[in-house]
Amino acid sequence: EAGVTQFPSHSVIEKGQTVTLRCDPISGHDNLYWYRRVMGKEIKFLLHFVKESKQDESGMPNNRFLAERTGGTYSTLKVQPAELEDSGVYFCASSQDVGWKGNTEAFFGQGTRLTVV
Amino acid sequence: AQTVTQSQPEMSVQEAETVTLSCTYDTSESDYYLFWYKQPPSRQMILVIRQEAYKQQNATENRFSVNFQKAAKSFSLKISDSQLGDAAMYFCAYSIRDDKIIFGKGTRLHILP
């Protein structure tokens, strides 16, 4: 079974440009999460999808970030325009059930390392 | 606010020895979950072990075990018989049901051959 996959693995863009990150969750997982780790800091929650709906987007830094989840399958996270402070590793995770009940586990992708220069 | 604190940015342990990574957290919730995640150089985040707060018994997964002290809000990870493949960044994390995961800053663990 394929795990959570993220594209690209690494992106270098100039300040002011647009970048779109993609996450393909494990098939059948309704929950999809985006997280970000800025160098040397905690991994911070960005938002949570349940199927195609945004359940919680309280962690989105500002309106330069736009997340979508088409048809409740893959998700994209667009940064437009990118700023230097957006550099970091963006992780996606998916889980089957809402919450962490029983043996529910969140599976993470390898992350996308975004560098804004 | 819920926070997770890992006071050891880096640690080293000799191969085959035992090491303990510290973690404390702050929450007003009574029902929650605690996790240790491992991130090797491949960057894939892997769940190492999970503990439900309502369970008094400490979770164990092979060479990995936790010391969960609910009153002290402490959740340390013990790795026994350390192996070279254990070298990674380890993140302590917390979650309440139906909610996001809150992570600590991580502890980088080096295994010395």
Side-chain angles (χ1 to χ4, degrees):
Chain A
E1 179 182 346
V4 178
T5 52
Q6 293 187 243
F7 305 95
S9 60
H10 192 184
S11 179
V12 181
I13 61 170
E14 292 183 351
K15 176 182 172 182
Q17 289 186 322
T18 297
V19 63
T20 300
L21 314 181
R22 173 171 168 145
C23 170
D24 285 72
I26 292 173
S27 178
H29 282 194
D30 288 341
N31 295 278
L32 188 149
Y33 303 81
W34 282 99
Y35 292 85
R36 174 175 76 170
R37 184 177 189 222
V38 174
M39 183 66 72
K41 300 198 172 181
E42 298 92 339
I43 300 171
K44 288 280 182 80
F45 166 83
L46 296 178
L47 87 159
H48 171 202
F49 283 99
V50 177
K51 296 184 180 178
E52 68 276 7
S53 301
K54 292 176 185 174
Q55 179 78 9
D56 180 355
E57 52 184 329
S58 61
M60 294 288 265
N62 50 61
N63 59 11
R64 295 185 294 102
F65 289 75
L66 175 64
E68 294 178 325
R69 190 177 182 192
T70 307
T73 55
Y74 71 90
S75 175
T76 57
L77 179 64
K78 179 160 61 173
V79 185
Q80 179 184 29
E83 298 290 344
L84 298 179
E85 64 264 26
D86 299 333
S87 295
V89 181
Y90 290 76
F91 291 100
C92 175
S94 72
S95 68
Q96 187 167 24
D97 297 321
V98 174
W100 309 94
K101 297 183 280 291
N103 291 321
T104 300
E105 178 181 339
F107 294 87
F108 281 79
Q110 289 183 300
T112 294
R113 183 178 298 279
L114 175 65
T115 304
V116 183
V117 297
Chain B
Q2 296 133 359
T3 58
V4 177
T5 302
Q6 294 178 250
S7 58
Q8 306 147 318
E10 283 194 69
M11 292 192 72
S12 296
V13 63
Q14 207 75 36
E15 193 176 3
E17 297 291 308
T18 295
V19 64
T20 298
L21 309 184
S22 302
C23 174
T24 58
Y25 59 94
D26 188 22
T27 183
S28 57
E29 301 287 336
S30 59
D31 187 14
Y32 50 87
Y33 297 84
L34 294 163
F35 311 88
W36 278 98
Y37 280 90
K38 169 185 176 181
Q39 186 186 30
S42 66
R43 287 210 317 249
Q44 187 81 48
M45 292 275 282
I46 302 164
L47 178 64
V48 174
I49 200 164
R50 178 217 321 260
Q51 174 85 40
E52 289 91 342
Y54 67 87
K55 290 185 178 178
Q56 293 186 338
Q57 187 171 8
N58 289 324
T60 299
E61 286 289 338
N62 301 313
R63 296 183 295 106
F64 298 86
S65 62
V66 298
N67 183 5
F68 174 46
Q69 302 288 328
K70 190 172 185 179
K73 296 180 181 175
S74 170
F75 184 61
S76 61
L77 174 70
K78 184 171 83 171
I79 306 174
S80 304
D81 185 26
S82 297
Q83 300 175 2
L84 295 178
D86 295 333
M89 182 73 88
Y90 286 82
F91 293 96
C92 179
Y94 157 100
S95 176
I96 62 174
R97 57 194 179 282
D98 302 337
D99 207 350
K100 56 213 178 248
I101 302 175
I102 297 168
F103 290 89
K105 287 187 178 181
T107 296
R108 184 169 297 283
L109 179 64
H110 303 278
I111 310 296
L112 307 174

